């Protein structure tokens, strides 16, 4: 289905009647044309007094609320969290040489769609000259707004030889490019996922640090495991087994002495079983300490990232204020020894 889009924009009186606050969750799709159309739609909603300034994309809302792709009730719950009356979202897909634009308007209060439209637009209608008019016509259709007589395009004047079309007089206005700079400072509302990220990463940071410190102290020179090892070695000198002696004052590694086979032909035996048991315990605690320090570093970096994201955001005075942003951070043990850490974020 192809639809010719009008260049009409509702008047101020008509826009004022639309007093619901709308959160625009962007358009799903790839390419600069999709991004430009999303910016133009957001700008048009702002001109009508509908844009509530909330900074969240549809993908982020799904992730935060755990919604499925078509879970309108879940979307509505997310809209209530944002303090919105309506959610507007959509998608753009390529169809031959043209593009199919789908827009939906969801009533946050009822969890039901107010309207859903689908329009086929040409690349020219997504170009600089017609982009503003295309966005305006899509919003008109979504909100079922009929253009007034004054807003309709001029009639054909080809029969009037004295009439000369002025191309500049009817050229639609392109939305301003806006300032895409990042700014630092408090802003509201802040997405719930940012607060959740700070809270979870802080708790994990404290847990990792406590584990690392406790395990490190336990295997230190004056720690309880070292004392337990010395005691086991001292006991070996006074027990009834002369073949299992381990000198606690030896300059050699006590664990190596305790684990050494008394008979080279029997490699599975050890000189002192009690000393060996304490050494195995020390090895396990040392591994816990290493993992704890690695986790502390990972979660410290994650906490810094999420704390920064609480204060860094797009300048919401421009049409680029709601660019999609994605944050991810995680780590996992690698094969053998070590830890692999990865992270990404996009404003």
């Amino acid at each position: 289905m192809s639809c010719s889009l009008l260049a009409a924009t509702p008047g101020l009186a008509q826009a004022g009647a639309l007093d619901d606050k709308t959160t625009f969750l962007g358009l799903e799709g790839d390419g600069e044309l999709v991004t430009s159309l999303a910016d133009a739609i957001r700008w048009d909603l702002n001109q009508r007094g509908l844009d509530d300034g909330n900074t969240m994309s549809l993908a982020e809302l799904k992730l935060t609320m755990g919604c499925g792709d078509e879970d309108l009730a879940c979307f509505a719950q997310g809209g209530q969290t944002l303090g919105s009356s309506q959610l507007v979202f959509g998608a753009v897909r390529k169809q031959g040489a043209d593009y199919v634009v789908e827009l939906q308007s969801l009533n946050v209060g009822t969890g039901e769609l107010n309207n859903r439209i689908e329009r086929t637009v040409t690349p020219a209608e997504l170009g600089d000259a017609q982009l503003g008019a295309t966005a305006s016509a899509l919003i008109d259709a979504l909100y079922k707004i009929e253009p007034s007589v004054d807003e309709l395009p001029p009639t054909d004047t080809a029969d009037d030889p004295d009439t000369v079309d002025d191309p500049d007089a009817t050229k639609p206005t392109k939305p301003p490019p806006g300032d895409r700079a990042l700014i630092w400072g408090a802003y509201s509302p802040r997405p719930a996922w940012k607060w959740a990220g700070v809270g979870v990463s802080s708790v994990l940071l404290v847990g990792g640090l406590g584990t690392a410190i406790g395990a490190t102290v336990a295997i230190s020179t004056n720690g309880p495991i070292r004392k337990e090892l010395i005691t086991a070695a001292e006991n070996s000198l006074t027990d009834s087994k002369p073949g299992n002696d381990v000198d606690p004052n030896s300059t050699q590694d006590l664990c190596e002495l305790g684990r050494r086979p008394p008979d080279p032909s029997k490699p599975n035996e050890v000189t002192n079983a009690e000393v060996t048991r304490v050494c195995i315990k020390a090895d396990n605690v040392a591994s816990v300490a290493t993992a704890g320090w690695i986790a502390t570093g990972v979660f410290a970096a994650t906490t810094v990232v999420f704390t920064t994201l609480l204060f860094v955001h797009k300048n919401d005075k421009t049409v680029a204020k709601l660019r999609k942003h994605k944050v991810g951070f995680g780590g996992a043990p690698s094969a053998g020894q070590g830890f692999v850490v990865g992270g990404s974020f996009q404003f």
Side-chain angles (χ1 to χ4, degrees), residues 52-98:
D52 63 4
N54 281 315
T55 57
M56 181 171 283
S57 68
L58 181 59
E60 290 170 347
L61 185 141
K62 291 178 182 178
L63 180 63
T64 302
M65 300 297 297
C67 302
D69 289 339
E70 302 295 335
D71 194 346
L72 298 181
C74 184
F75 294 173
Q77 291 179 355
Q80 292 174 3
T81 302
L82 295 173
S84 307
S85 299
Q86 296 189 60
L87 300 179
V88 171
F89 51 92
V92 180
R93 68 178 187 274
K94 195 79 161 60
Q95 187 177 69
D98 298 329

Side-chain angles (χ1 to χ4, degrees), residues 70-237:
E70 302 295 335
D71 194 346
L72 298 181
C74 184
F75 294 173
Q77 291 179 355
Q80 292 174 3
T81 302
L82 295 173
S84 307
S85 299
Q86 296 189 60
L87 300 179
V88 171
F89 51 92
V92 180
R93 68 178 187 274
K94 195 79 161 60
Q95 187 177 69
D98 298 329
Y99 293 85
V100 177
V101 181
E102 177 190 351
L103 276 181
Q104 300 183 62
S105 172
L106 176 66
N107 187 313
V108 171
T110 64
E112 298 179 352
L113 288 178
N114 293 322
N115 195 16
R116 176 186 178 277
I117 65 168
E118 186 173 290
R119 298 290 186 270
T120 300
V121 298
T122 65
E125 290 172 311
L126 296 178
D128 290 348
Q130 300 184 45
L131 184 60
T134 301
S136 180
L138 287 169
I139 297 301
D140 282 348
L142 184 66
Y143 282 89
K144 302 177 183 179
I145 298 173
E146 296 293 336
S148 64
V149 175
D150 294 336
E151 295 168 339
L152 290 173
T155 57
D156 187 5
T157 56
D159 295 336
D160 186 354
D162 296 329
T163 301
V164 178
D165 291 335
D166 182 358
D168 294 333
T170 59
K171 185 177 181 180
T173 303
K174 178 185 176 182
D179 180 10
R180 290 175 171 80
L182 298 176
I183 60 176
W184 172 273
Y187 65 102
S188 181
R190 298 182 187 181
W193 64 266
K194 292 186 178 182
W195 288 111
V198 172
V200 172
S201 61
S202 298
V203 170
L204 294 175
L205 170 60
V206 172
L209 182 60
T211 300
I213 293 175
T216 301
V217 170
I219 60 175
S220 64
T221 302
N222 297 319
I225 294 182
R226 176 64 181 179
K227 293 179 180 179
E228 186 178 352
L229 178 62
I230 295 297
T231 300
E234 290 175 343
N235 291 338
S236 71
L237 300 179

Side-chain angles (χ1 to χ4, degrees), residues 25 97 112 118 122 124 150 266-267 281 290 340:
L25 300 176
E112 298 179 352
E118 186 173 290
T122 65
D150 294 336
K266 299 178 180 180
K281 178 180 178 180
T290 300
V340 179

